[in-house]
Amino acid sequence: MTILAISMRLFTLLLSFALVFVAVPAALAQSVGLPSPRLLTTTPMGGKAGTQFEVVVTGEHLDDAEDLIFSDCRITASRKVDASGVLTPDRYMVTIAPDCPVGLYESRIMTRLGVSSSRIFTVGKFPEFVQSKSNKTLESAIELPVGSVFNGTISERSVDYFKFIGKKGQRLVVDCASNGIDSKLNATVIIADAAGRDLLVERLGGVLDYSVPKDGMYVIKIHELTFKGGPAFYYRLGLWEQAAGTRIIRQPSTKTVNSYSWPPIGLSEHAASKEIEPNNDGKRAQKITLPCDIGGSFYPASDVDFFEFDAKKGEQWWIEVVSERLGLQTDPTIFIQHVVRDSKGADKITDVLELTDIISPVKVSSNGYAYDGPPYNPGSSDILGKLVVKEDGTHRLQITDLFGGTRNDPNNIYRLIIRRDAPDFALVSWAMHMELRNGDRNALSKPISLRGGATMALEVVAFRRDGFDGEIEITMEGLPKGVKAHGLKIPVGQSRGMMLVTADQDAPRGYTNAKFFGQSKIDGNSVVRPCWLASVAWPIPDSWGEIPSPRLLADVPVAVSGIDFAPITITAKAPIYEVTAGEKLVIPLVHKRRSEFSGDKIQMKVIGAGFENAPRFDLPIKADTSQVTLDLAVLKTPPGEYTISFVGGAVVKYSHKPDEVALVEAKTKKMMLEVKDLEAEAKKIATEAQVAPAAKKDQMVKAVAMVTAKMKAATDALNVTKGQLEKAAVTAKPKDIADIIVSEPITIRVKPGVKK
């Protein structure tokens, strides 16, 4: 390369960099929710206890990814490094201790913005394999040993093929785990002969129980029910031998949100007695005594099970059935009748009670698409109801599955419990859902990863068992340094409260697994119950075309970024206010803005028992202070101590990693100076070469080559930096993002009024 060529290349490079500073692409359209770190896939999706293997991760907003964290300390991970000791992006070496139990665990990544959302990670007992080649045809089928698990991903409009050797008389189980491990795959699983002809098909995510008819090669085919595919459509295919007559234990699966209400505290893991067939009509009803705990099955198709018991007038019994909450696609219903037999043995039947679904204690989305409420449904098609006996004598209970008309599956089990009053409660919580007026139906996974100065609101829902109606205090403990939690209690007879988690502006970067629970008094005794945390498995910005898939989490992770800050912090001038019942309370507010907003006001509402009927008010977003007036005469708030907060939606002009541009600019300028120095050195060597004696010509040629190589490396590095600068400029460009704004909590003490 000549000196002139080097100079021209340098000039072109400098010109291109000058253009970068003024030519930045336009901002993206408004989106929902400030950036949150989200772990989307881990490959493989699990492993055998006592092994070590490489895991590759993908996700959203995993900037400056650090540790891969698991919900059990017996699973650990370290960053993978290459031969030269350099960290390999998105790759970890995972070690599962030999004593780690088989089951599901949460995996997350600590990032610049805090801890990511979770992705299920499975620990199994069989040897595991990972997809490393195409198996989209019968000819390329991967051989799968009996007693193993295969981790794979379905491509769009494709079928994955496997083959295995079966022996006559073997009972083999083929189990494809997908939805239950956070996958979007609705798997169709087929066992075929060696030529690919179908022998046994399962299209509803069930398990294949296959008796091998003869020795030979067999084929397993897997595809998505509607032939969708992609990175989110992964699976764990298990193949193992099962002893004859034994119950199949499937690969572990996540818990649905409504399963938070099961089981009651202190209940035995297994039912005390079993349904005895035949009991399919009133004349063959199974005789039982109350109280009872019976395990049964909706089998065969259209099965109706009858039970008879004696009860006396005035007795009160609570009836609970669990089936759907066990993760089954069932809809139990119960019908109870009073039976009187005359002297001739004829029955006189009087209808007493019909029990169906457990209605959600709070409003949820009406169609599952997060349209008019959160996509989390704490209700169930299971049963909880009260029987008040109005007449002495025999009562007949019949139970059936409204979905079981054509299904012959003995795994569709139920558990029927009839008991005396046992008042209690269960709790579940999720990040507050944002309802937009422009038609977007968002269902986002929102890890509790706090920016400095941010307050995050979690809705808390109570399931009240057997008539319990007491007040429930909500608490979160074991938080990172600089983080506080304030529970807005669930009032007497109500089912909804809130948990507010706040990070101080200067809260240091940190991560803990918190303890989340509720406490109340039952029969004069203090009781404490855990609060489950729920999240959607996949973030859905607009669920017009995709139904959200919420589930329960195994733990309650709380993290602080320590780097990024909330767009605004709204606080009261004082943390506690006192007011006399029936008077007006004026609360002065302070706004600490760190971002610009669209519009000049935010419509806010009050949350917190005793004040939720207060009218909405406009908060002037561009002002540094404001005030809100609460009229206790209108609200009729009785004396007591209350905690409230203000919540509203706003469009933030959010800039992600704004400091990155300055850092890359500084790096770029430094590299440009290096290129200039190399240019000067090249000119010097070229000048010296022109007058050098013949004996030194070879030495000068080598010197020129060396400088040229350095120039090329520096120029290539500069080009890389150019791309980084362009990316940083786009990332830092303010974007309109709709998000929830929550004030820091405020304590209000309402004193009794003066009696006249």
Side-chain angles (χ1 to χ4, degrees), residues 42 45 104-106 118-122 181-182 254 551:
T42 65
M45 291 69 74
L104 298 183
Y105 301 87
E106 310 285 356
S118 173
R119 185 58 63 228
I120 279 296
F121 192 83
T122 307
I181 57 171
D182 290 349
T254 54
R551 68 168 176 89

Side-chain angles (χ1 to χ4, degrees), residues 43 67 79 100 136 155 299 304 314 395 413 582 620 633 638 689 696:
T43 305
D67 295 336
R79 301 289 298 274
C100 187
K136 308 303 180 188
S155 301
Y299 177 79
V304 181
H395 290 72
I413 61 175
K696 290 188 176 182

Side-chain angles (χ1 to χ4, degrees), residues 416-437:
L416 166 65
I417 296 175
I418 305 179
R419 60 175 177 258
R420 298 286 189 183
D421 288 357
D424 208 338
F425 64 94
L427 299 172
V428 68
S429 178
W430 52 75
M432 181 179 281
H433 172 75
M434 188 169 195
E435 298 177 35
L436 301 179
R437 291 175 293 180

Side-chain angles (χ1 to χ4, degrees), residues 8-19 21 672-673 675-676 718:
M8 288 301 296
R9 183 171 181 179
L10 177 62
F11 174 77
T12 304
L13 196 59
L14 295 177
L15 179 61
S16 67
F17 268 96
L19 294 175
F21 290 102
M672 290 170 66
L673 290 174
V675 172
K676 284 186 176 181
L718 201 54

Side-chain angles (χ1 to χ4, degrees), residues 581 637-642 750-753:
T637 306
E641 184 167 300
Y642 301 84
V750 181
K751 300 180 294 184

